[in-house]
Structures are given as C-alpha cells and as structure tokens.
Amino acid sequence: MTRRARAFWVEAPGEGAIREVELPATGPDDVLVRALFTGVSRGTETLVFGGRVPENQYAVMRAPFQEGDFPGPVKYGYLGVGVVEEGAQRLVGRTVFCLHPHQTRYVVPAASVTPVPDAVPAGRAVLAGTVETAVNALWDAAPLLGDRVAVVGGGMVGCSVAALLARFPGVRVQLIDADPAREEVADALGVDFALPGDAHGDRDLVVHASATEQGLARSLELLRPEGTVLELSWYGDRRVALPLGEAFHSRRLTLRSSQVGTVSPARAATRTYADRLALALDLLADPALDALVTGESAFGELPQLMPRLASGEIPALCHRIRYDEEDDGTGTGA
C-alpha cells in the first residue's frame, strides 16, 4: 500500500505548483505528522521563490527537509505545525513543531519534532522558527540592563526581536520602520515606534533587520560612540554599500553578523539547537505575538499566493497556511 500527500514546490523562479508526493513507510524511530499550519517566512522564502539564492550559498541555505535544489524545482520551507498520527507513543496525538516544507502529511525522525507546549495555540506555534532566530540574535547581542536599543526593520524577525527585548528589565526599545502601518504591530507588542527620520539616537545597540542598504546605514547613524549594530538581514544576491568612510572609525562603531544556522557562540557550550527551539516555543505563550500573523490562506492557494507575497502586493509579516482534511486529497493507493 502506497500513502501519498501533497506538497508545494517552487518549479522555477517565480513559479509554484502543488505536487503529489509518495510518503515513505514509518520506521521504528519515525513519526507521521498531519499538517495543521505552516508559516511563510516572507523574507527568505520569497528570495527562494524568486530564484535569488546566490550559488555560493546553496549549501548554507538548504532547509532540513528540503527536496530538490536551488533555483528549482525545490521543495522549501521550515515553519510547520502538525499532529503526530503514528510513531512513538509519547508523541502520538501531540501537536508538534517541525522544520518542514509546506506539505499535507510527512514522515520524519521523531527527534526532529518538538512538542508544542499546551499554553501555545497551534496557529501561533508557526512563529517558532522566527522567534528562535530572535533568541539566537539576543544571545549574540547580549543586551545589558538599562540598554537603549533600536530595532530597524519591522518585518517578522525584527518584530520578534523587539517583542523579546520588551521583556528585558530596564531596556528601552524602539521599533523603526518606513511603513507607518507597523506602529499598530509595535503597539500590540508593547514597544515604542518611529519612522526612520524620527528615531531616537545614541543607542547602545541597534538590531538591523530591514534587509535594505538604507536601513543599515541608518542603523550606524543611531549608535552612540562604541555602539554595536547586529546585522540579521540576509540580502540574497544583492550587494550593499555602507558609509564606512564617515564617522565609522572615529566613533569606533562595531558591525557584527548573527545567523540562526549555528547556536550563538556565547551559548554553544551550554545550549543545543533543541534547547533553543524549546525556549522559542515556551516564549510563544505570550498572546501579544499573535500580532505577527497578518494573514491566512488555504494550502491549495499557495501557487497563487506566493507571487503576491514576493511582489509585496500582500505586505505580510508571517502569512499562515491552513491545512484542511480535503487538502490531502490523494489518500492511499495500491
């Protein structure tokens, strides 16, 4: 008996389709997961959809359960929440998070799923991968009590960082974005908001997540002497120019990168990838983070949805994909 499911594939840059896929048998160390929700990570996934992953980054950018290769055909994604239907008894019936592409059902090793805490709704748990990025960034940045912090870029990652910083005692955080509509999200997260020209300066730390050359330049301008910009943006195949010939050296500024592909060196001796993800899921008990989910569509709409997300026609933070029983469609066959 063959079991089948349906998955979203990037067939070629700018072109997506839903394919029928055959599921492998569930081994003794595997679980079968039925998808409830996935999230579209608008920054990274739209770069993948547009075929804009640089060739020298193909290996680095592979998702854990990716099939195919860049620029396509490729099955990509990493914000999945579902229910375990078969496998380890301790997991059967549990809602779990998995770094899996958009697919109605899938078989993965049991060790690759993380139970979602009871206090976290399944629909919010799709944010776990992004909150995990924010956790890693703050392990890298290590803000101190009373720091003055700006987050430049009110996208999914920037808003997640701002939300976590708002919990730090004595830390004053301002979210900065060129889109005034982001003020509503900032209010929901409990942080101050400003347009780039109105932002407070003299910041101890600036976290940059706008993925724009202008945003990075503005981040440097907002620092106090000897302050640090932590760069979270990923620019794909674009080159970025910086004003390093102005006050960069005389003010002894620091620009450093952070990347979720490795656990922050500041925590690597005591924390694992699993620890980091479990922490991110625990932090999602805060209902304020629902503000990061700005739209929802059915799985079958993905081929038409992705071009609109990639073009900015839908100005989403996290766009959530909903899976209904009829999405699986194909069932079993001989």
Side-chain angles (χ1 to χ4, degrees):
M1 182 174 66
T2 301
R3 292 189 294 189
R4 298 183 176 90
R6 299 170 75 211
F8 175 74
W9 283 73
V10 178
E11 299 285 4
E15 179 185 340
I18 292 176
R19 294 185 183 184
E20 183 177 314
V21 296
E22 185 175 320
L23 296 179
T26 307
D29 298 319
D30 296 333
V31 289
L32 171 67
V33 179
R34 173 174 57 85
L36 297 174
F37 299 99
T38 53
V40 178
S41 175
R42 185 172 176 268
T44 303
E45 287 197 58
T46 57
L47 286 173
V48 171
F49 183 74
R52 292 176 51 208
V53 178
E55 189 171 349
N56 63 7
Q57 294 296 298
Y58 282 3
V60 174
M61 287 303 300
R62 286 196 69 87
F65 294 101
Q66 174 180 325
E67 292 183 37
D69 297 298
F70 304 119
V74 61
K75 184 173 75 175
Y76 195 84
Y78 48 83
L79 300 175
V81 177
V83 173
V84 175
E85 293 188 321
E86 292 179 11
Q89 283 305 304
R90 63 183 177 82
L91 292 171
V92 171
R94 293 291 306 271
T95 300
V96 296
F97 178 85
C98 184
L99 297 165
H100 199 281
H102 310 281
Q103 184 167 313
T104 56
R105 278 183 169 83
Y106 46 89
V107 175
V108 294
S112 67
V113 303
T114 303
V116 174
D118 292 339
V120 178
R124 192 187 305 154
V126 297
L127 298 168
T130 305
V131 173
E132 184 182 11
T133 300
V135 167
N136 208 58
L138 295 179
W139 281 352
D140 278 335
L144 299 176
L145 186 72
D147 271 358
R148 297 157 297 182
V149 184
V151 179
V152 176
M156 198 172 165
V157 171
C159 285
S160 297
V161 171
L164 298 191
L165 281 168
R167 302 162 178 248
F168 278 62
V171 168
R172 289 163 286 176
V173 57
Q174 186 173 58
L175 180 65
I176 299 161
D177 197 274
D179 182 359
R182 289 288 186 260
E183 183 170 8
E184 184 177 346
V185 179
D187 288 344
L189 298 176
V191 300
D192 189 22
F193 175 83
L195 297 171
D198 301 326
H200 298 316
D202 203 32
R203 303 291 93 183
D204 301 291
L205 169 69
V206 178
V207 179
H208 179 239
S210 81
T212 67
E213 185 175 296
Q214 296 88 346
L216 184 51
R218 184 61 175 141
S219 297
L220 290 169
E221 293 172 350
L222 295 175
L223 288 175
R224 62 159 171 80
E226 300 191 7
T228 297
V229 168
L230 187 77
E231 176 61 278
L232 292 184
S233 300
W234 191 66
Y235 299 89
D237 56 2
R238 285 181 294 143
R239 291 184 177 272
V240 176
L242 282 178
L244 301 183
E246 298 180 5
F248 182 79
H249 291 283
S250 63
R251 297 176 63 220
R252 302 179 64 85
L253 304 181
T254 297
L255 173 62
R256 64 172 300 196
S257 64
S258 178
Q259 212 278 335
V260 74
T262 57
V263 175
S264 165
R267 294 289 184 274
T270 57
R271 298 290 190 275
T272 65
Y273 289 99
D275 293 333
R276 190 177 65 186
L277 180 55
L279 174 58
L281 282 163
D282 284 341
L283 292 169
L284 281 166
D286 185 351
L289 291 164
D290 283 330
L292 303 187
V293 179
T294 52
E296 182 175 293
S297 300
F299 168 70
E301 298 172 16
L302 260 173
Q304 294 75 42
L305 174 70
M306 285 300 295
R308 300 176 67 200
L309 288 172
S311 69
E313 179 186 344
I314 300 176
L317 290 176
C318 176
H319 196 93
R320 186 167 59 202
I321 304 303
R322 180 186 70 254
Y323 294 75
D324 302 316
E325 285 291 342
E326 56 267 28
D327 287 327
D328 216 12
T330 54
T332 60

